[in-house]
Amino acid sequence: MTEFWESSFRDKQTMWGFEPAYSAITTADFFQTNGVKEILIPGLGYGRNAKVFTDQGFHVTGIEISETAIDLAKRHYGDSIHVYHGGVGEMPFDQKMYDGIFCYALIHLLQAEERAKLIKDCYQQLSPAGYMVFVALSKNTPTFGEGVEISKDTFRTRHGVELFYYDSESINQEFGPYGLLEAVEITEPAKNLGNKPFHQFWQITCRKEDV
């Protein structure tokens, strides 16, 4: 996985452009409304989804597996984001508690045990009454079923990437024990961008108990 993302960012650089995902915009507004200040973004990439948070005054910490992506983030956004270099499987990288966690299009790249660890690790780093938002591929996206089926709802693409597609049942199973508030299907990108493909995602929101 490390080599795949390193070569991807090395070859394609800022491959998704600089416009934040629609779910990043709505999550930033949601966090702002709920008094969130300190944010963790596992799978930061080159920071395109982080800028919408820093622009609104949030303190952002990221985790990113690709050194090239981290260099791109520093080049374009300076030192406004603190980034830990490593995979999310190595969490936690610090003992800090975060008011909000935003994880975009990452969890569906992981195997079942890895997904369970990521959700648990994120929840453990949430402050009491904190929120975590995951954006994950839906079974209703057009690419569902493409590639080689590895296991239930998991397919290996022609690029060798394994993708897990969520439905309401798997969401409840994996996120239910961690303060699941809601799961809403969304389309990314939200705007029609001509020949660019769209995907159906779940935007999954959890809240930690206020103890």
Side-chain angles (χ1 to χ4, degrees):
M1 183 66 76
T2 303
E3 181 52 38
F4 173 84
W5 287 111
E6 189 60 49
S7 61
S8 294
F9 284 114
R10 189 169 55 242
D11 296 341
K12 300 174 184 177
Q13 297 286 294
T14 53
M15 62 186 104
W16 298 297
F18 293 99
E19 192 74 21
Y22 173 71
S23 53
I25 297 170
T26 59
T27 299
D29 292 341
F30 174 76
F31 282 174
Q32 193 79 264
T33 300
N34 287 277
V36 172
K37 299 295 183 185
E38 296 283 345
I39 297 174
L40 177 66
I41 302 182
L44 180 82
Y46 54 84
R48 74 175 180 111
N49 286 326
K51 190 174 185 299
V52 69
F53 294 101
T54 58
D55 284 350
Q56 293 193 39
F58 296 100
H59 299 130
V60 177
T61 299
I63 300 169
E64 175 52 47
I65 199 169
S66 165
E67 287 188 277
T68 299
I70 293 173
D71 289 342
L72 288 168
K74 290 179 179 178
R75 187 186 312 166
H76 291 286
Y77 305 117
D79 296 324
S80 60
I81 307 165
H82 175 68
V83 188
Y84 291 107
H85 175 229
V88 295
E90 301 170 58
M91 289 177 68
F93 286 85
D94 57 33
Q95 300 305 311
K96 189 173 180 178
M97 304 297 283
Y98 294 89
D99 307 318
I101 295 174
F102 179 67
C103 187
Y104 180 83
L106 182 150
I107 194 165
H108 53 249
L109 297 167
L110 306 178
Q111 297 179 358
E113 289 184 2
E114 296 170 325
R115 296 195 304 272
K117 182 179 186 302
L118 175 60
I119 296 168
K120 182 179 180 180
D121 288 345
C122 286
Y123 190 78
Q124 288 181 337
Q125 284 203 264
L126 267 187
S127 301
Y131 295 90
M132 59 183 189
V133 177
F134 288 79
V135 180
L137 274 174
S138 166
K139 287 174 67 173
N140 291 323
T141 204
T143 57
F144 176 70
E146 293 183 2
V148 179
E149 187 171 8
I150 304 302
S151 58
K152 185 177 184 296
D153 298 333
T154 304
F155 297 84
R156 182 183 293 122
T157 72
R158 59 189 176 89
H159 301 293
V161 179
E162 294 183 12
L163 299 175
F164 177 76
Y165 295 83
Y166 277 92
D167 58 17
S168 56
E169 181 180 351
S170 52
I171 288 171
N172 285 323
Q173 181 179 346
E174 295 190 8
F175 292 91
Y178 298 98
L180 177 64
L181 285 181
E182 67 172 8
V184 179
E185 279 196 283
I186 61 170
T187 300
E188 294 277 17
K191 298 177 182 177
N192 187 345
L193 298 178
N195 61 350
K196 288 195 174 182
F198 73 90
H199 294 284
Q200 288 291 113
F201 289 93
W202 287 98
Q203 188 163 332
I204 304 160
T205 305
C206 299
R207 181 180 185 271
K208 193 169 189 176
E209 289 185 8
D210 188 359
V211 293

